[in-house]
């Protein structure tokens, strides 16, 4: 579609670390320059797994927003808000729950996976089963077209697409739809309306995706169509009823090679992280105590970087020159492991320094962040309210 809108959320369940920064935040920061972006704190989603320790969420909401901004998410460009401050998400979640088959939720792979992984918690709750549907509401309420997520979240986006399709199928068929669509086509003017019809035929008869895309652009960019007519024309293109909810696409973050201190993926649950707020001394200590190639017992034992997690960090943080120095130095036992780790320590501290300085500025003055979030919530609410008006109307609830 012509106008891209990006949405993503993060659960406030702990300190942000370099895994978040390299995997998620850098991606958000790039997207904000290209698209309209909404980023939010998914505090309700955090409650699905942390209902017995809400204090963890409370502590992390503001810290997380500070870290986002300190890392480079720009509140002047992106809309930053908190899920629970826009209760329309919950209303849409309730309405969508009416049309969500239980089997669809039970089949989402994260449902069983997470229950097994977090087996110390009782996750046989209504809220946890509904996790993907709440996520669908988060996305659909903004008619977002793109959702940057990690690979594990793909089933949730696919689920969201199915829910949107089902909703449009059930509620997009107003009486007299075809007549109304035909009236709307006339409003495009004679030139554009024949173009629209040509592209519609090209898509419906030959599956011409480009024709569909161009027709969508044509409608989006045409001035003076009411929202209802826009939806009719978009829906009519694809043969169905009104397209009230928009099927989003996922945008996979570029694969992040960020490994943790033990060589596994960096994750809070493995206790192998470097926090964005980690002090330089602590970074140094953590890297210096990282395991290396077990074959290098003594300084003059040759090693193999491919067997060493420090090498993975060099992949993220070092120039080709430094990497070449590590490769020969390690294989020919010309450098010691402590020596080899120093450029990584320096690079991480260099990356963290400006982030920490900015974070400090916001910690000193909490009102700054509160105001940014209040403004973001207002903007989000405006968009959410608009969609809810249409959803209520489509479901016959506009009394
Ligand atoms: N489930 C996402 C995660 O764990 C967080 C999330 C909640 C989200 N709502 C969202 C992400 C909407 C993208 C869009 O990472
Ligand atoms: Fe790892 Fe570097 Fe030591 Fe080689 S020299 S084992 S790459 S830390």
């Amino acid at each position: 579609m012509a106008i891209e809108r990006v949405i993503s959320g993060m659960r406030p369940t702990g300190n942000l670390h370099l895994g978040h920064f390299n995997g998620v935040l850098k991606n958000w920061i790039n997207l904000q320059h290209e698209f309209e972006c909404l980023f939010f704190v998914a505090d309700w989603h955090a409650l699905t797994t942390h209902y017995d320790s809400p204090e963890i969420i409370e502590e992390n909401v503001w810290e997380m927003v500070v870290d986002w901004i300190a890392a480079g998410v720009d509140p002047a460009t992106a809309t930053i808000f908190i899920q629970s401050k826009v209760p329309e998400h919950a209303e849409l979640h309730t309405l969508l729950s009416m049309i969500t088959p239980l089997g669809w939720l039970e089949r989402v792979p994260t449902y069983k996976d997470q229950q097994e992984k977090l087996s110390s918690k009782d996750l046989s709750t209504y809220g946890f089963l509904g996790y993907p549907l709440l996520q669908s509401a988060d996305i659909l309420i903004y008619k977002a077209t793109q959702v940057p997520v990690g690979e594990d979240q793909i089933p949730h986006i696919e689920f969201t697409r199915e829910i949107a399709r089902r909703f449009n199928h059930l509620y997009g068929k107003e009486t007299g739809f075809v007549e109304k669509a035909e009236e709307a086509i006339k409003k495009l003017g004679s030139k554009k309306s024949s173009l629209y019809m040509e592209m519609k035929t090209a898509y419906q008869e030959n599956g011409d995706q480009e024709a569909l895309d161009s027709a969508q652009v044509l409608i989006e960019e045409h001035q003076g169509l009411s929202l209802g007519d826009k939806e009719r024309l978009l829906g009519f293109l694809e043969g169905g009823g009104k397209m009230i909810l928009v099927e989003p696409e996922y945008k996979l973050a570029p694969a992040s090679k960020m490994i943790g201190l033990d060589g596994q993926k960096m994750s809070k649950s493995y206790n192998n992280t470097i926090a964005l707020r980690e002090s330089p001394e602590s970074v140094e200590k953590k890297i210096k105590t990282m395991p290396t190639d077990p074959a290098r017992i003594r300084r003059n034992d040759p090693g193999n970087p491919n067997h060493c997690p420090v090498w993975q960090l060099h992949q993220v943080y070092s120039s080709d020159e430094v990497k070449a120095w590590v490769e020969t130095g390690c294989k020919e036992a010309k450098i010691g492991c402590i020596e080899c780790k120093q450029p990584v320590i320096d690079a991480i501290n260099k990356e963290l320094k400006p982030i920490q300085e900015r974070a400090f500025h916001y910690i000193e003055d909490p009102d700054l962040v509160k105001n940014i979030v209040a403004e973001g919530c207002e903007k989000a609410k405006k968009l959410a309210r608009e969609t809810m008006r249409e959803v209520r109307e489509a479901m016959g609830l506009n009394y």
Side-chain angles (χ1 to χ4, degrees):
M1 196 163 300
I3 300 159
E4 299 281 2
R5 182 177 285 155
V6 172
I7 187 151
S8 202
M10 206 187 276
R11 295 178 306 138
T13 53
N15 286 333
L16 294 195
H17 51 66
L18 285 177
H20 296 112
F21 181 61
N22 282 291
V24 184
L25 291 175
K26 279 187 181 166
N27 190 33
W28 286 11
I29 291 161
N30 287 331
L31 289 169
Q32 71 186 352
H33 301 301
E34 238 183 300
F35 304 109
E36 177 186 0
C37 286
L38 296 138
F39 300 124
F40 70 97
V41 180
D43 52 349
W44 284 337
H45 277 102
L47 271 176
T48 64
T49 51
H50 289 63
Y51 57 83
D52 56 354
S53 46
E55 65 286 351
I56 294 182
I57 299 167
E58 200 178 353
E59 274 164 30
N60 283 295
V61 166
W62 297 107
E63 299 291 301
M64 192 164 88
V65 176
V66 165
D67 281 349
W68 288 357
I69 299 171
V73 176
D74 179 3
T77 325
T79 303
I80 299 173
F81 69 98
I82 299 171
Q83 183 185 37
S84 65
K85 297 269 187 196
V86 188
E88 283 83 356
H89 291 222
E91 184 184 358
L92 184 57
H93 175 243
T94 298
L95 294 181
L96 294 177
S97 78
M98 309 303 169
I99 64 164
T100 305
L102 264 185
W104 288 16
L105 284 167
E106 286 160 346
R107 274 197 302 273
V108 175
T110 45
Y111 180 56
K112 289 251 151 52
D113 289 356
Q114 291 294 103
Q115 276 188 335
E116 278 162 26
K117 222 164 134 194
L118 305 173
S119 57
S120 59
K121 284 185 183 160
D122 181 1
L123 291 182
S124 49
T125 58
Y126 182 53
F128 188 69
L129 177 66
Y131 186 112
L133 188 63
L134 180 57
Q135 184 163 352
S136 301
D138 297 338
I139 298 166
L140 297 174
I141 205 162
Y142 300 107
K143 303 195 180 190
T145 56
Q146 300 279 342
V147 191
V149 284
E151 207 153 356
D152 61 314
Q153 296 287 310
I154 294 176
H156 292 176
I157 310 306
E158 278 167 353
F159 173 85
T160 303
R161 295 172 61 86
E162 279 166 33
I163 294 291
R165 217 172 298 147
R166 184 164 163 82
F167 183 94
N168 290 336
H169 174 73
L170 283 167
Y171 305 114
K173 293 210 166 51
E174 51 185 351
T175 43
F177 173 72
V178 175
E179 291 74 15
K180 284 184 185 167
E182 280 165 354
E183 278 305 305
I185 293 171
K186 286 189 197 144
K187 294 182 192 159
L188 292 172
S190 64
K191 215 164 132 199
K192 278 192 188 166
S193 59
S194 48
L195 203 58
Y196 173 90
M197 288 308 293
E198 269 168 40
M199 293 190 287
K200 176 174 177 289
T201 311
Y203 174 67
Q204 289 188 0
E205 290 180 6
N206 310 317
D208 185 342
Q209 189 63 41
E210 259 174 49
L212 176 65
D213 292 344
S214 326
Q216 285 170 340
V217 173
L218 182 139
I219 298 160
E220 288 293 348
E221 289 180 349
H222 188 80
Q223 305 288 320
L225 278 178
S226 71
L227 206 62
D229 277 343
K230 250 184 201 174
E231 285 163 359
R232 284 182 197 102
L233 291 179
L234 289 171
F236 197 47
L237 264 182
E238 299 189 57
K242 262 165 109 171
M243 252 196 20
I244 301 166
L245 298 180
V246 174
E247 287 180 45
E249 279 164 25
Y250 56 82
K251 221 178 172 56
L252 266 189
S256 154
K257 294 186 221 98
M258 199 62 213
I259 53 109
L261 296 165
D262 55 359
Q264 299 187 78
K265 181 181 172 202
M266 186 177 282
S267 160
K268 188 183 56 157
S269 45
Y270 300 140
N271 206 8
N272 63 358
T273 62
I274 294 177
L276 290 187
R277 307 272 183 96
E278 202 89 44
S279 70
E281 297 72 35
S282 175
V283 169
E284 177 164 5
K285 194 164 150 223
K286 282 187 168 178
I287 302 284
K288 281 197 168 154
T289 50
M290 260 181 90
T292 58
D293 178 358
R296 291 205 75 184
I297 301 164
R298 282 170 301 261
R299 166 73 169 72
N300 47 6
D301 292 329
N304 180 347
N306 292 327
H307 301 159
C308 175
V310 179
W311 177 238
Q312 307 271 341
L313 292 180
H314 278 292
Q315 300 302 317
V316 178
Y317 285 104
S318 298
S319 65
D320 289 344
E321 208 179 321
V322 172
K323 283 190 274 190
W325 169 79
V326 171
E327 265 203 296
T328 33
C330 180
K331 286 181 179 158
E332 296 171 17
K334 280 192 204 146
I335 58 171
C337 289
I338 293 289
E339 213 179 334
C340 175
K341 288 171 171 178
Q342 195 58 47
V344 172
I345 296 170
D346 294 341
I348 291 178
N349 280 331
K350 191 171 160 213
E351 180 166 77
L352 291 182
K353 189 164 182 256
I355 297 179
Q356 293 177 353
E357 280 169 1
R358 280 194 294 266
F360 183 70
H361 171 67
Y362 286 100
I363 294 163
E364 287 266 275
D365 189 354
D367 281 350
L368 277 177
V369 177
K370 299 246 152 124
N371 289 338
I372 288 169
V373 170
E375 206 175 294
C377 290
E378 273 315 304
K379 274 198 214 157
K381 240 179 210 285
K382 232 178 170 168
L383 299 171
R385 258 193 233 127
E386 187 52 37
T387 305
M388 283 319 297
R389 194 189 50 72
E390 295 171 56
V391 166
R392 281 189 216 116
E393 186 182 302
M395 291 181 80
L397 294 167
N398 59 338
Y399 4 89

